[in-house]
Amino acid sequence: AKAHGKNHTTLFHPDLRTAHLHHTTLATGLRHARTRGELTLHYQPVIDLATGTTHALEALLRWTPTAGRPIPPDVFIPIAENTGLITDLGHWALTQAITDATPWHHHHGTALTVNISGRQLRDPAFPHTVLDTLARHHLPPHALILEITESMLLATTPTETQRITTLLSDLRTHGIRIALDDFGTGYSSLAYLRTLPVDILKIDRSFTTPPTAADHPQTRAFTKAILELSASLGLDTIVEGVETPDQAALLRQLGAPHAQGYLFSPPVPAPHIDELLHTTPWQ
Ligand code: C2E
Ligand code: CA
Ligand code: CA
Ligand code: CA
Protein backbone atom coordinates (compact mmCIF):
# COMPACT_ATOMS: atom_id res chain seq x y z
CA ALA A 1 0.00 0.00 0.00
CA LYS A 2 3.08 2.19 0.41
CA ALA A 3 4.26 3.81 -2.80
CA HIS A 4 0.90 3.67 -4.55
CA GLY A 5 -0.87 5.78 -1.94
CA LYS A 6 1.52 8.71 -2.13
CA ASN A 7 -0.05 11.67 -3.84
CA HIS A 8 2.54 14.26 -4.66
CA THR A 9 0.04 16.93 -5.67
CA THR A 10 -2.11 16.78 -2.57
CA LEU A 11 -4.44 19.77 -2.09
CA PHE A 12 -3.36 20.16 1.52
CA HIS A 13 0.29 20.62 0.69
CA PRO A 14 0.65 23.52 -1.73
CA ASP A 15 4.19 24.33 -0.59
CA LEU A 16 6.24 21.85 -2.58
CA ARG A 17 9.41 23.71 -1.60
CA THR A 18 8.88 22.71 2.02
CA ALA A 19 8.52 19.07 0.96
CA HIS A 20 11.70 19.31 -1.09
CA LEU A 21 13.60 20.92 1.80
CA HIS A 22 12.34 18.23 4.13
CA HIS A 23 13.60 15.59 1.70
CA THR A 24 17.01 17.30 1.42
CA THR A 25 17.31 17.61 5.21
CA LEU A 26 16.47 13.94 5.63
CA ALA A 27 18.97 12.93 2.95
CA THR A 28 21.70 14.94 4.73
CA GLY A 29 20.81 13.39 8.08
CA LEU A 30 20.68 9.93 6.58
CA ARG A 31 24.20 10.36 5.19
CA HIS A 32 25.54 10.40 8.78
CA ALA A 33 23.00 8.07 10.37
CA ARG A 34 25.17 4.97 10.32
CA THR A 35 28.35 6.59 11.69
CA ARG A 36 26.35 8.41 14.37
CA GLY A 37 24.89 5.10 15.53
CA GLU A 38 21.34 6.20 14.79
CA LEU A 39 20.37 3.01 12.96
CA THR A 40 19.03 -0.10 14.65
CA LEU A 41 17.30 -3.26 13.54
CA HIS A 42 14.07 -4.61 14.89
CA TYR A 43 12.98 -8.18 14.30
CA GLN A 44 9.54 -9.61 13.66
CA PRO A 45 8.89 -13.35 14.00
CA VAL A 46 7.49 -15.42 11.13
CA ILE A 47 5.35 -18.16 12.66
CA ASP A 48 5.01 -21.78 11.62
CA LEU A 49 1.21 -22.03 11.79
CA ALA A 50 1.16 -25.80 12.34
CA THR A 51 3.48 -25.83 15.36
CA GLY A 52 3.29 -22.24 16.65
CA THR A 53 7.08 -22.01 16.66
CA THR A 54 9.21 -19.23 15.19
CA HIS A 55 10.27 -20.14 11.68
CA ALA A 56 12.24 -16.99 10.86
CA LEU A 57 12.97 -13.45 12.01
CA GLU A 58 12.58 -10.53 9.61
CA ALA A 59 15.10 -7.70 10.09
CA LEU A 60 13.50 -4.25 9.74
CA LEU A 61 15.56 -1.05 9.77
CA ARG A 62 14.84 1.73 12.26
CA TRP A 63 16.27 5.26 12.13
CA THR A 64 16.07 7.58 15.11
CA PRO A 65 18.09 10.79 14.54
CA THR A 66 19.96 11.84 17.70
CA ALA A 67 17.92 15.03 17.91
CA GLY A 68 14.50 13.92 16.82
CA ARG A 69 11.74 11.39 16.44
CA PRO A 70 12.01 8.08 14.62
CA ILE A 71 11.63 8.39 10.83
CA PRO A 72 9.52 5.54 9.36
CA PRO A 73 11.30 3.23 6.87
CA ASP A 74 8.57 3.92 4.31
CA VAL A 75 9.95 7.52 4.35
CA PHE A 76 13.73 7.00 4.58
CA ILE A 77 14.17 3.82 2.49
CA PRO A 78 12.99 5.52 -0.75
CA ILE A 79 15.34 8.45 0.00
CA ALA A 80 18.18 6.01 0.62
CA GLU A 81 17.40 4.33 -2.69
CA ASN A 82 17.25 7.58 -4.67
CA THR A 83 20.48 8.94 -3.19
CA GLY A 84 22.38 5.65 -3.44
CA LEU A 85 22.84 5.60 0.36
CA ILE A 86 20.98 2.28 0.41
CA THR A 87 24.18 0.47 -0.62
CA ASP A 88 25.87 1.53 2.63
CA LEU A 89 22.74 1.14 4.78
CA GLY A 90 21.87 -2.21 3.24
CA HIS A 91 25.35 -3.53 3.82
CA TRP A 92 25.28 -2.39 7.44
CA ALA A 93 21.83 -3.96 7.95
CA LEU A 94 22.82 -7.28 6.38
CA THR A 95 26.01 -7.57 8.44
CA GLN A 96 24.28 -6.53 11.68
CA ALA A 97 21.36 -8.90 11.04
CA ILE A 98 23.69 -11.84 10.40
CA THR A 99 25.60 -10.98 13.60
CA ASP A 100 22.36 -10.84 15.63
CA ALA A 101 20.69 -13.89 14.08
CA THR A 102 23.56 -16.38 14.16
CA PRO A 103 23.08 -17.38 17.84
CA TRP A 104 19.29 -17.49 17.35
CA HIS A 105 19.79 -19.90 14.47
CA HIS A 106 22.21 -22.10 16.40
CA HIS A 107 19.98 -22.28 19.51
CA HIS A 108 16.51 -22.31 17.97
CA GLY A 109 16.95 -23.21 14.30
CA THR A 110 15.34 -19.95 13.16
CA ALA A 111 16.11 -18.48 9.74
CA LEU A 112 16.91 -14.82 9.11
CA THR A 113 15.05 -12.84 6.46
CA VAL A 114 16.44 -9.52 5.18
CA ASN A 115 14.95 -6.91 2.83
CA ILE A 116 17.16 -6.15 -0.17
CA SER A 117 16.75 -3.14 -2.44
CA GLY A 118 17.16 -3.14 -6.23
CA ARG A 119 20.37 -1.13 -6.02
CA GLN A 120 22.01 -3.82 -3.93
CA LEU A 121 21.09 -6.45 -6.53
CA ARG A 122 22.66 -4.33 -9.28
CA ASP A 123 26.01 -4.54 -7.51
CA PRO A 124 27.96 -7.41 -9.13
CA ALA A 125 29.90 -7.88 -5.86
CA PHE A 126 26.69 -8.50 -3.88
CA PRO A 127 26.68 -12.35 -3.94
CA HIS A 128 30.32 -12.47 -2.87
CA THR A 129 29.68 -9.96 -0.05
CA VAL A 130 26.72 -11.98 1.23
CA LEU A 131 28.50 -15.35 1.11
CA ASP A 132 31.60 -13.85 2.69
CA THR A 133 29.61 -12.31 5.56
CA LEU A 134 27.80 -15.61 6.17
CA ALA A 135 31.10 -17.50 6.24
CA ARG A 136 32.73 -15.06 8.65
CA HIS A 137 29.83 -15.43 11.10
CA HIS A 138 29.33 -19.18 10.57
CA LEU A 139 25.71 -18.77 9.52
CA PRO A 140 24.83 -21.45 6.93
CA PRO A 141 23.40 -20.06 3.66
CA HIS A 142 20.21 -22.12 4.08
CA ALA A 143 19.47 -19.99 7.18
CA LEU A 144 19.27 -16.81 5.09
CA ILE A 145 16.28 -15.53 3.12
CA LEU A 146 16.59 -12.41 0.95
CA GLU A 147 13.35 -10.48 0.32
CA ILE A 148 12.95 -8.70 -2.98
CA THR A 149 9.96 -6.88 -4.48
CA GLU A 150 8.78 -6.92 -8.05
CA SER A 151 8.75 -3.09 -8.03
CA MET A 152 12.56 -3.14 -8.01
CA LEU A 153 12.39 -4.58 -11.53
CA LEU A 154 9.98 -1.99 -12.94
CA ALA A 155 12.61 0.41 -14.29
CA THR A 156 15.08 -2.21 -15.47
CA THR A 157 15.99 -3.02 -19.07
CA PRO A 158 15.63 -6.66 -20.23
CA THR A 159 19.42 -7.03 -19.99
CA GLU A 160 19.42 -5.77 -16.41
CA THR A 161 16.50 -8.02 -15.47
CA GLN A 162 18.44 -10.94 -16.96
CA ARG A 163 21.51 -9.99 -14.92
CA ILE A 164 19.45 -9.84 -11.70
CA THR A 165 17.82 -13.18 -12.51
CA THR A 166 21.28 -14.75 -12.97
CA LEU A 167 22.49 -13.19 -9.70
CA LEU A 168 19.49 -14.57 -7.80
CA SER A 169 19.99 -18.04 -9.33
CA ASP A 170 23.61 -17.90 -8.28
CA LEU A 171 22.65 -17.11 -4.67
CA ARG A 172 20.13 -19.97 -4.73
CA THR A 173 22.72 -22.52 -5.86
CA HIS A 174 24.55 -21.65 -2.63
CA GLY A 175 21.42 -22.43 -0.60
CA ILE A 176 20.20 -18.88 0.07
CA ARG A 177 16.42 -18.59 -0.36
CA ILE A 178 14.72 -15.77 -2.25
CA ALA A 179 11.33 -14.42 -1.15
CA LEU A 180 9.09 -12.27 -3.33
CA ASP A 181 7.78 -9.63 -0.89
CA ASP A 182 4.45 -7.76 -1.08
CA PHE A 183 3.06 -10.34 -3.51
CA GLY A 184 -0.35 -9.30 -4.79
CA THR A 185 0.23 -5.53 -4.71
CA GLY A 186 1.88 -5.19 -8.13
CA TYR A 187 0.44 -5.11 -11.59
CA SER A 188 2.33 -8.03 -13.02
CA SER A 189 2.92 -10.37 -10.08
CA LEU A 190 1.97 -13.45 -12.05
CA ALA A 191 4.25 -12.57 -14.96
CA TYR A 192 7.20 -12.11 -12.59
CA LEU A 193 6.46 -15.44 -10.96
CA ARG A 194 7.16 -17.14 -14.26
CA THR A 195 10.59 -15.58 -14.71
CA LEU A 196 12.02 -14.81 -11.26
CA PRO A 197 13.88 -17.56 -9.43
CA VAL A 198 12.10 -17.48 -6.05
CA ASP A 199 11.47 -19.94 -3.23
CA ILE A 200 8.94 -18.10 -1.10
CA LEU A 201 5.91 -15.86 -1.69
CA LYS A 202 5.13 -13.26 0.94
CA ILE A 203 1.47 -12.44 0.54
CA ASP A 204 0.77 -8.76 1.20
CA ARG A 205 -1.74 -8.09 3.94
CA SER A 206 -4.04 -6.15 1.61
CA PHE A 207 -4.74 -9.49 -0.05
CA THR A 208 -5.87 -11.40 3.03
CA THR A 209 -7.45 -8.67 5.16
CA PRO A 210 -11.21 -8.35 4.66
CA PRO A 211 -12.03 -4.63 4.11
CA THR A 212 -15.31 -5.26 5.97
CA ALA A 213 -16.76 -8.30 7.69
CA ALA A 214 -19.15 -8.71 4.75
CA ASP A 215 -16.19 -9.25 2.43
CA HIS A 216 -15.08 -12.30 4.37
CA PRO A 217 -16.17 -14.93 1.78
CA GLN A 218 -14.30 -13.13 -0.98
CA THR A 219 -11.15 -12.78 1.14
CA ARG A 220 -11.35 -16.48 1.89
CA ALA A 221 -11.60 -17.31 -1.81
CA PHE A 222 -8.62 -15.08 -2.67
CA THR A 223 -6.51 -16.48 0.15
CA LYS A 224 -7.35 -20.08 -0.78
CA ALA A 225 -6.53 -19.49 -4.45
CA ILE A 226 -3.21 -17.80 -3.77
CA LEU A 227 -2.14 -20.51 -1.29
CA GLU A 228 -3.01 -23.19 -3.86
CA LEU A 229 -1.11 -21.38 -6.61
CA SER A 230 1.94 -20.99 -4.41
CA ALA A 231 1.88 -24.64 -3.29
CA SER A 232 1.36 -25.96 -6.82
CA LEU A 233 4.45 -24.04 -7.93
CA GLY A 234 6.37 -25.70 -5.10
CA LEU A 235 6.82 -22.43 -3.23
CA ASP A 236 6.71 -21.75 0.48
CA THR A 237 4.22 -19.06 1.58
CA ILE A 238 4.32 -16.42 4.30
CA VAL A 239 1.12 -14.45 4.88
CA GLU A 240 1.91 -10.94 6.14
CA GLY A 241 -0.03 -8.61 8.43
CA VAL A 242 -2.06 -11.15 10.41
CA GLU A 243 -3.75 -9.08 13.11
CA THR A 244 -6.75 -11.08 14.33
CA PRO A 245 -7.37 -14.60 15.68
CA ASP A 246 -10.03 -15.00 12.96
CA GLN A 247 -7.44 -14.44 10.25
CA ALA A 248 -5.07 -16.94 11.86
CA ALA A 249 -7.86 -19.51 12.20
CA LEU A 250 -8.76 -19.16 8.53
CA LEU A 251 -5.12 -19.50 7.49
CA ARG A 252 -4.69 -22.64 9.58
CA GLN A 253 -7.90 -24.07 8.12
CA LEU A 254 -6.59 -23.41 4.60
CA GLY A 255 -3.23 -24.99 5.46
CA ALA A 256 -1.10 -21.84 5.12
CA PRO A 257 2.42 -22.79 6.23
CA HIS A 258 3.68 -19.48 7.64
CA ALA A 259 2.33 -16.16 8.91
CA GLN A 260 3.59 -12.91 10.35
CA GLY A 261 1.79 -10.01 11.99
CA TYR A 262 0.89 -8.00 15.07
CA LEU A 263 -1.28 -10.89 16.35
CA PHE A 264 1.92 -12.80 17.07
CA SER A 265 4.36 -9.95 17.63
CA PRO A 266 5.27 -6.51 16.29
CA PRO A 267 8.89 -5.99 15.25
CA VAL A 268 10.95 -5.79 18.49
CA PRO A 269 14.55 -4.79 19.32
CA ALA A 270 17.16 -7.56 19.13
CA PRO A 271 17.58 -7.94 22.93
CA HIS A 272 13.90 -8.99 23.21
CA ILE A 273 14.24 -11.89 20.79
CA ASP A 274 15.79 -14.39 23.20
CA GLU A 275 12.86 -14.06 25.57
CA LEU A 276 10.42 -14.27 22.68
CA LEU A 277 12.03 -17.47 21.41
CA HIS A 278 11.73 -19.00 24.86
CA THR A 279 8.08 -18.06 25.43
CA THR A 280 6.79 -19.54 22.16
CA PRO A 281 4.96 -21.57 20.80
CA TRP A 282 2.17 -19.24 19.85
CA GLN A 283 -1.41 -20.45 19.92
P1 C2E B 1 7.86 -4.87 4.47
O1 C2E B 1 9.15 -5.52 4.12
O2 C2E B 1 6.66 -5.28 3.72
O3 C2E B 1 7.69 -5.09 6.04
C1 C2E B 1 6.44 -5.28 6.67
C2 C2E B 1 5.96 -3.99 7.32
O4 C2E B 1 4.66 -4.24 7.87
C3 C2E B 1 6.83 -3.54 8.48
O5 C2E B 1 6.77 -2.13 8.50
C4 C2E B 1 6.09 -4.14 9.69
O6 C2E B 1 6.35 -3.44 10.89
C5 C2E B 1 4.67 -3.98 9.27
N1 C2E B 1 3.78 -4.97 9.89
C6 C2E B 1 4.11 -6.17 10.42
N2 C2E B 1 3.02 -6.81 10.91
C7 C2E B 1 1.97 -6.00 10.68
C8 C2E B 1 0.56 -6.11 10.97
O7 C2E B 1 0.05 -7.09 11.51
N3 C2E B 1 -0.23 -5.07 10.56
C9 C2E B 1 0.28 -3.97 9.95
N4 C2E B 1 -0.55 -3.00 9.61
N5 C2E B 1 1.62 -3.83 9.67
C10 C2E B 1 2.44 -4.84 10.03
P2 C2E B 1 8.08 -1.25 8.69
O8 C2E B 1 9.02 -1.89 9.66
O9 C2E B 1 7.63 0.14 8.96
O10 C2E B 1 8.79 -1.32 7.28
C11 C2E B 1 8.19 -0.75 6.14
C12 C2E B 1 8.93 -1.14 4.89
O11 C2E B 1 10.24 -0.54 4.84
C13 C2E B 1 9.16 -2.62 4.74
O12 C2E B 1 7.99 -3.26 4.29
C14 C2E B 1 10.29 -2.64 3.71
O13 C2E B 1 9.76 -2.48 2.42
C15 C2E B 1 11.08 -1.39 4.08
N6 C2E B 1 12.26 -1.79 4.89
C16 C2E B 1 12.38 -1.95 6.22
N7 C2E B 1 13.64 -2.32 6.55
C17 C2E B 1 14.33 -2.41 5.39
C18 C2E B 1 15.69 -2.75 5.05
O14 C2E B 1 16.55 -3.11 5.89
N8 C2E B 1 16.03 -2.72 3.72
C19 C2E B 1 15.12 -2.37 2.75
N9 C2E B 1 15.53 -2.35 1.46
N10 C2E B 1 13.84 -2.06 3.03
C20 C2E B 1 13.45 -2.08 4.33
CA1 CA C 1 9.75 -7.55 3.86
CA1 CA D 1 5.85 -7.13 2.74
CA1 CA E 1 5.57 -3.73 2.38
Side-chain angles (χ1 to χ4, degrees):
K2 291 175 303 198
H4 313 291
K6 267 166 211 157
N7 187 345
H8 292 288
T9 54
T10 163
L11 292 171
F12 303 103
H13 202 332
D15 193 353
L16 287 172
R17 241 175 2 152
T18 308
H20 178 73
L21 265 177
H22 183 61
H23 185 289
T24 310
T25 310
L26 285 179
T28 306
L30 198 53
R31 196 152 284 139
H32 305 284
R34 188 180 54 76
T35 50
R36 285 177 182 156
E38 296 171 347
L39 297 175
T40 53
L41 286 173
H42 282 196
Y43 294 89
Q44 186 179 36
V46 175
I47 309 306
D48 182 322
L49 283 170
T51 62
T53 54
T54 302
H55 167 71
L57 292 148
E58 179 175 3
L60 292 156
L61 259 174
R62 295 291 178 261
W63 176 31
T64 308
T66 316
R69 303 157 176 282
I71 315 286
D74 283 338
V75 172
F76 75 80
I77 296 285
I79 296 175
E81 280 169 352
N82 292 335
T83 52
L85 289 166
I86 194 70
T87 311
D88 186 46
L89 262 61
H91 183 254
W92 177 84
L94 185 70
T95 309
Q96 185 61 46
I98 289 173
T99 309
D100 289 341
T102 299
W104 302 331
H105 172 72
H106 289 305
H107 294 131
H108 303 275
T110 50
L112 166 69
T113 177
V114 180
N115 295 284
I116 300 297
S117 92
R119 282 242 196 186
Q120 290 173 279
L121 289 186
R122 278 180 198 84
D123 175 4
F126 182 72
H128 174 77
T129 308
V130 176
L131 290 164
D132 186 58
T133 311
L134 288 172
R136 275 190 290 115
H137 290 83
H138 306 289
L139 186 68
H142 72 255
L144 181 66
I145 300 165
L146 299 179
E147 301 193 8
I148 62 166
T149 59
E150 66 179 76
S151 65
M152 71 171 53
L153 295 174
L154 283 183
T156 60
T157 62
T159 325
E160 232 176 349
T161 305
Q162 185 53 51
R163 211 179 296 141
I164 290 174
T165 305
T166 307
L167 184 146
L168 294 175
S169 303
D170 182 29
L171 289 165
R172 289 178 80 213
T173 60
H174 287 91
I176 293 168
R177 280 168 290 169
I178 309 297
L180 190 55
D181 201 358
D182 300 342
F183 186 77
T185 58
Y187 298 101
S188 48
S189 301
L190 289 172
Y192 279 114
L193 257 195
R194 295 190 60 195
T195 51
L196 277 179
V198 301
D199 305 279
I200 303 165
L201 286 192
K202 293 196 77 168
I203 313 301
D204 191 74
R205 72 187 152 90
S206 60
F207 224 89
T208 51
T209 308
T212 68
D215 294 328
H216 187 77
Q218 211 207 22
T219 301
R220 187 195 153 87
F222 266 113
T223 308
K224 187 166 180 284
I226 199 81
L227 288 170
E228 280 168 0
L229 171 72
S230 188
S232 67
L233 292 170
L235 302 174
D236 189 7
T237 318
I238 300 172
V239 180
E240 300 190 277
V242 176
E243 295 182 348
T244 69
D246 279 358
Q247 279 176 294
L250 172 64
L251 292 172
R252 283 201 184 89
Q253 198 191 0
L254 295 174
H258 299 117
Q260 187 176 2
Y262 295 160
L263 173 67
F264 306 107
S265 169
V268 296
H272 295 207
I273 293 295
D274 266 312
E275 194 197 331
L276 183 142
L277 289 171
H278 280 109
T279 50
T280 52
W282 274 272
Q283 292 312 304

